Amino acid sequence: RPPTAIQNKFLRVTFDPDTGLLSSLSNLETKQTIKLTQNFFWYNASDGNNSRSNQPSGAYIFRPNSSTPFTISKTAKTETIQTSVVQEVRQWFAPWVSQVVRLYADSRALELEWTVGPLPIDDDLGKEVITRLDTSIKTSQYFYTDSNGREVLQRRTDYRPTWHLKQSEPVAGNYYPINSRAFIKDDEDQLTVVTDRSQGGGSIYNGSLEIMLHRRLLYDDVRGVGEPLNESSDIYPDGLVVRGRLLLSLDRPPSAADAHRPLAQEVVLQPLLTFTDGDLH
Amino acid sequence: EGDSQTMKKAMAVAQHHDAVSGTEKQHVANDYAKRLANGWQHCQVLVSNSLAALSGSSAERIYCDNLNISVCPLTESSKKFSVNVYNPLARPVTWPVRLPVNGTAYAVSDASGKSVDCQVVPVSTATWALRRNRGSAVRELVFQVQAPPLGFTHYTVSLLQDEHPPPRVEH
């Protein structure tokens, strides 16, 4: 059974002992707590064989054939490591999805290090894997992404600020680029997710934030590439494995940027490590 | 002789063609990756030359590009090594470092010789599966480093206890 909680001076993270999933996040400095569940899902990629449109999902086009993603596993097998420097809960969801929930002793951010792949395609279904954070934050159909790493823009479900939108893609039509961060908020709480790479993301349900992690597709989207997005390599002949990190920060909305701006800076301009064998002269 | 021009050109090609979006044929993606890897090799020489000039040390610098999957031949096999930390931000940062190791206990000291709290944790089974026979570290050494603004510092790591002799790894 996973631990009930891990915590440092700044954050407390609880887990559901029955499922092994995250269940809440607290900022101990600001004394705020949100319900937070996180899990991994996959959208079945559209193969273009659809009465409404013959557009397959591909490199340029994200187009799931259903708005409801498949849950990869409702529970996670867990393993816990608790030391004075770092506390980790290692979650195993499937042979191709695992994660480490990590809290360093002096950190104000919770690290989620996800590992996804190789995506199985022996069922002949293209897969677009996401992680979804479901919270108690009352988002009222709004969420926020940075479009270019500088300006953060407000996004509203099924809405565009400069024209009347007739939404035809309930999921993909509400996905936006995330270059360094995305957040959801209400009057009390703001949950900011800082990413280590550009990703796609959306807030399809109130209180939730989902982020695309990995894709493996079987059809070309007929936009000029002429190949499906189905990459492998010498080391990973059965499909690529991807590992990345999300950093979560929970704050009051007026002061949230004080936390996520330096956090994102530290991710984008990380320290460079070099090594020297033996004694340094 | 190092340079950043090779990386600059590779980045220019990659950005012009939206190279990271997967909107190119696989052999083209392979070519972008090769150009970027070659660019980084040239940058490594440039960085080594700069740090050698600034630190006054011409000791060979090793780069570990696969730390995210707990692979670094030097830290896996060495009984004593130093970690140089360059901080590109204009403010001091505290940063967690995780190094693949095979020993069970290590001593870490900062540039002034002061001891730093460190812990050794096992490498996760997911990482074992991910690295596919690259690297042999069974543990990771975790500690926090503090680096000055737009500057560098170093930490010394010494093996205290070795449960099993580390496997021979060629650098």
Side-chain angles (χ1 to χ4, degrees):
Chain A
R1 288 171 79 87
T4 316
I6 54 175
Q7 81 173 67
N8 65 9
K9 289 176 285 185
F10 309 110
L11 293 177
R12 177 179 168 83
V13 190
T14 64
F15 294 83
D16 182 328
D18 294 324
T19 62
L21 304 179
L22 284 168
S23 58
S24 77
L25 176 63
S26 303
N27 183 327
L28 302 176
E29 289 182 298
T30 56
K31 296 184 172 50
Q32 58 188 129
T33 297
I34 58 166
K35 286 183 188 167
L36 170 63
T37 309
Q38 181 235 2
N39 205 345
F40 293 85
F41 306 84
W42 62 275
Y43 286 107
N44 182 8
S46 177
D47 58 8
N49 189 13
N50 184 300
S51 57
R52 203 156 45 87
S53 163
N54 60 3
Q55 175 63 61
S57 200
Y60 284 94
I61 311 280
F62 166 41
R63 186 157 185 267
N65 81 345
S66 164
S67 299
T68 309
F70 292 94
T71 307
I72 289 166
S73 176
K74 288 179 180 171
T75 60
K77 291 179 189 169
T78 62
E79 185 181 273
T80 308
I81 288 164
Q82 289 184 292
T83 72
S84 59
V85 178
V86 68
Q87 297 172 68
E88 293 183 357
V89 175
R90 296 170 176 182
Q91 300 171 310
W92 191 90
F93 295 86
W96 44 284
V97 179
S98 61
Q99 179 175 255
V100 181
V101 180
R102 192 174 279 143
L103 193 55
Y104 288 102
D106 296 321
S107 177
R108 286 183 165 83
L110 179 70
E111 179 180 317
L112 306 178
E113 188 185 51
W114 49 269
T115 303
V116 178
L119 302 188
I121 49 168
D122 43 8
D123 55 3
D124 291 331
L125 300 175
K127 294 180 180 61
E128 323 217 26
V129 176
I130 60 157
T131 186
R132 197 174 71 209
L133 302 149
D134 293 306
T135 75
S136 54
I137 297 173
K138 297 171 188 68
T139 55
S140 307
Q141 298 195 313
Y142 289 100
F143 89 117
Y144 301 80
T145 65
D146 65 331
S147 59
N148 58 9
R150 294 178 185 174
E151 187 184 13
V152 175
L153 299 178
Q154 186 186 68
R155 313 296 193 176
R156 184 175 153 194
T157 307
D158 297 334
Y159 177 80
R160 300 293 184 272
T162 51
W163 77 93
H164 180 70
L165 174 70
K166 188 181 172 192
Q167 184 63 271
S168 59
E169 292 291 335
V171 175
N174 286 303
Y175 259 61
Y176 292 91
I178 300 170
N179 285 325
S180 70
R181 77 207 75 180
F183 56 78
I184 52 176
K185 65 175 183 176
D186 58 21
D187 291 342
E188 297 294 317
D189 304 306
Q190 176 169 329
L191 178 71
T192 309
V193 179
V194 172
T195 63
D196 65 345
R197 66 199 63 199
S198 293
Q199 289 171 277
S203 178
I204 308 300
Y205 310 103
N206 279 328
S208 97
L209 178 63
E210 61 183 65
I211 295 174
M212 180 76 74
L213 303 179
H214 194 8
R215 314 171 71 204
R216 194 173 182 201
L217 307 174
L218 303 171
Y219 301 98
D220 175 43
D221 59 8
V222 206
R223 287 296 183 276
V225 184
E227 287 178 4
L229 187 68
N230 179 7
E231 193 172 358
S232 60
S233 71
D234 292 341
I235 297 170
Y236 302 110
D238 42 0
L240 291 190
V241 189
V242 192
R243 171 171 281 182
R245 293 189 308 146
L246 303 174
L247 297 175
L248 271 54
S249 169
L250 175 66
D251 293 279
R252 299 290 179 200
S255 59
D258 296 346
H260 71 68
R261 283 194 188 129
L263 190 62
Q265 276 185 339
E266 287 169 24
V267 170
V268 173
L269 291 170
Q270 292 183 23
L272 174 67
L273 302 182
T274 61
F275 301 89
T276 310
D277 200 8
D279 277 313
L280 189 68
H281 298 292
Chain B
E1 197 170 308
D3 69 89
S4 58
Q5 194 68 12
T6 312
M7 177 61 104
K8 187 176 164 184
K9 287 181 178 174
M11 281 298 291
V13 169
Q15 291 182 333
H16 179 79
H17 294 285
D18 288 353
V20 292
S21 67
T23 50
E24 64 280 337
K25 286 184 188 291
Q26 187 58 50
H27 72 274
V28 180
N30 295 343
D31 184 58
Y32 292 147
K34 188 176 177 180
R35 285 168 190 266
L36 289 167
N38 186 38
W40 176 227
Q41 290 299 317
H42 285 246
C43 282
Q44 285 184 352
V45 179
L46 187 70
V47 172
S48 293
N49 290 346
S50 304
L51 288 173
L54 290 167
S55 68
S57 167
S58 57
E60 187 194 5
R61 285 179 193 280
I62 309 288
Y63 292 76
C64 292
D65 294 333
N66 295 308
L67 283 176
N68 66 329
I69 54 168
S70 304
V71 175
C72 178
L74 173 68
T75 62
E76 289 169 32
S77 60
S78 177
K79 291 185 174 174
K80 188 166 191 179
F81 57 91
S82 66
V83 185
N84 195 290
V85 186
Y86 172 73
N87 171 22
L89 287 175
R91 58 178 171 82
V93 294
T94 301
W95 186 256
V97 169
R98 308 176 66 87
L99 304 177
V101 293
N102 281 297
T104 50
Y106 287 82
V108 179
S109 55
D110 66 14
S112 65
K114 194 176 147 196
S115 177
V116 174
D117 187 16
C118 67
Q119 296 287 338
V120 175
V121 300
V123 166
S124 70
T125 45
T127 300
W128 277 104
L130 182 55
R131 63 190 182 192
R132 304 266 169 116
N133 299 325
R134 289 177 293 172
S136 60
V138 293
R139 301 178 191 91
E140 281 184 308
L141 175 67
V142 188
F143 58 97
Q144 298 266 1
V145 297
Q146 291 180 311
L150 292 170
F152 63 91
T153 187
H154 74 267
Y155 288 77
T156 303
V157 179
S158 306
L159 175 68
L160 294 179
Q161 197 176 333
D162 196 3
E163 201 170 70
H164 304 290
R168 283 174 61 85
V169 179
E170 300 224 340
H171 294 166

